[in-house]
Amino acid sequence: MTSTDREYFQNMYDESTDPWNFATSSYEQRKYALTINSLPRERYHNAFEPGCSIGVLSELLASRCERLLATDIVSSALEQAKQRLRKYENVVVESRAIPGSWPDEVFDLVVLSEVAYYFDAGSLRDILALIVRSTLPGAHVIGVHWRGETDYPLTGDRAHELINANDQLRRIVHHLEEEFTLDLWERVT
Ligand SMILES: C[S@@+](CC[C@H](N)C(=O)[O-])C[C@H]1O[C@@H](n2cnc3c(N)ncnc32)[C@H](O)[C@@H]1O
């Protein structure tokens, strides 16, 4: 399997409007708070959050960014995200699959939250090359992933090892818990 296909996620959203309980789980709320509080800069100019789902983390990111592009591949999730984020004029919600429909923009923050392990190593490396291409030195990439066993192409730990192996990204935050890993990398020259 190279990357988890859209039908997999579509089926999950057909069964539940919030399949991972992002809006209600105290585990998710705490993880989101750690994610936001790990961002070294108060403000980012242009942030990209692929795999935004129903936009719960996007709402927290909205107040830290001049502009946020939040994307997903499931239209029903995006409809919820649009509703949740409609009061934020700085947030753009779009249907886009990565790596294929990567936006032609320059970002100073890329957020990979519970999304990198749905790709195999080759596809994740392609995504990392796109991140490097669409960022300048000093930009930040944050990754947050569950560490349990998965039937996805990668585990959370392996996904972070692959990001860490990219020589254009230098890790400056490392937070490891039994259930999830959170790292933040800075784009180097
Ligand atoms: C587990 S959810 C993560 C949600 C969000 N990032 C968070 O942490 O709250 C993964 C999301 O990634 C989306 N997704 C999966 N493959 C994708 C792809 N190739 N491009 C964009 N989004 C994708 C899924 O539809 C799903 O909504």
Side-chain angles (χ1 to χ4, degrees), residues 3-6 9-10 13 20 22 28 31-32 49-57 71-74 77 96-99 111-115 117-119 144:
S3 61
T4 312
D5 61 17
R6 203 186 67 83
F9 298 101
Q10 181 68 65
Y13 288 107
W20 295 274
F22 291 136
E28 294 295 338
K31 183 163 60 76
Y32 288 151
E49 185 200 8
C52 67
S53 181
I54 61 174
V56 180
L57 177 58
T71 70
D72 206 283
I73 51 171
V74 177
R96 274 181 188 271
I98 60 165
V111 178
L112 300 176
S113 174
E114 311 291 3
V115 75
Y117 42 30
Y118 295 118
F119 302 90
V144 193

Side-chain angles (χ1 to χ4, degrees), residues 132-182:
V132 167
R133 204 182 72 189
S134 58
T135 52
L136 295 171
H140 289 157
V141 178
I142 190 161
V144 193
H145 290 88
W146 186 65
R147 301 184 65 216
E149 281 303 310
T150 70
D151 54 1
Y152 315 144
L154 298 175
T155 62
D157 284 348
R158 182 68 185 134
H160 281 227
E161 277 171 24
L162 288 166
I163 302 172
N164 214 32
N166 187 298
D167 63 6
Q168 297 295 301
L169 299 173
R170 179 175 64 95
R171 189 166 67 184
I172 59 172
V173 175
H174 179 51
H175 177 94
L176 192 65
E177 298 196 8
E178 191 172 344
E179 289 190 289
F180 68 89
T181 175
L182 184 159

Side-chain angles (χ1 to χ4, degrees), residues 52-64:
C52 67
S53 181
I54 61 174
V56 180
L57 177 58
S58 325
E59 184 164 16
L60 300 174
L61 289 165
S63 62
R64 298 289 294 272

